Amino acid sequence: MGKDRPFLEELSAMFKALGDPTRLGIALELMETEKCVSEISSSLGISDSSTSHHLRSLRQLKLVKRRREGQKLFYSLDDHHVYLILTIGLEHQEHRGREEER
C-alpha cells in the first residue's frame, strides 16, 4: 500500500493532532453529540480561548466541523471516519488495559 509523501504527511498530521491530550479530549467529547465551546471548556476544565485554539487546529485537519445557530457555533466530528478512528483507539486502549491486568 504505497502512498505518496504528501498523503503520508497529511495522515501523520492527523495522528499528531490526536496525539495531543487536549485535542484528543475535545474529539472524545464530540463523539457523544455536538457541543459549543463553553460546554467543551467546562467539561475539560480548560479556558474557552484554549478550546477555540484547539478546535481551530482540528477544523483545519477536517477532524471537526462547525455549525452556526444564531450567535453560537456548535462543533461536531467531521464525519463517521473520525468517529471510527476514535472508537478503535478506545477499544485498543481498553484491550491493552485488560491484558496488562492478567
Side-chain angles (χ1 to χ4, degrees):
M1 180 186 253
K3 298 292 182 186
D4 63 3
R5 184 74 181 184
F7 178 88
L8 294 175
E9 288 172 357
E10 287 180 30
L11 184 61
S12 175
M14 179 195 71
F15 282 111
K16 183 177 177 183
L18 293 174
D20 176 88
T22 301
R23 286 191 288 267
L24 180 58
I26 289 170
L28 293 174
E29 279 293 313
L30 296 176
M31 285 180 76
E32 300 168 18
T33 185
E34 69 177 9
K35 295 183 179 181
C36 66
V37 170
S38 62
E39 291 171 319
I40 298 167
S41 300
S42 175
S43 180
L44 296 177
I46 59 177
S47 70
D48 286 357
S49 174
S50 177
T51 301
S52 294
H53 171 76
H54 288 293
L55 283 165
R56 188 176 323 109
S57 296
L58 293 170
R59 279 186 58 235
Q60 289 172 341
L61 293 167
K62 305 278 192 255
L63 296 171
V64 166
K65 62 184 175 185
R66 68 182 181 188
R67 175 183 68 81
R68 182 178 295 277
E69 189 173 296
Q71 293 286 347
K72 239 178 183 171
L73 292 172
F74 290 90
Y75 292 86
S76 61
L77 296 180
D78 189 72
D79 64 21
H80 190 65
H81 297 107
V82 179
Y83 182 88
L84 290 174
I85 290 165
L86 295 170
T87 299
I88 290 169
L90 289 169
E91 289 174 359
H92 176 70
Q93 193 63 25
E94 289 170 3
H95 174 75
R96 284 186 53 205
R98 284 191 302 272
E99 283 189 349
E100 289 174 5
E101 290 174 0
R102 292 183 197 170

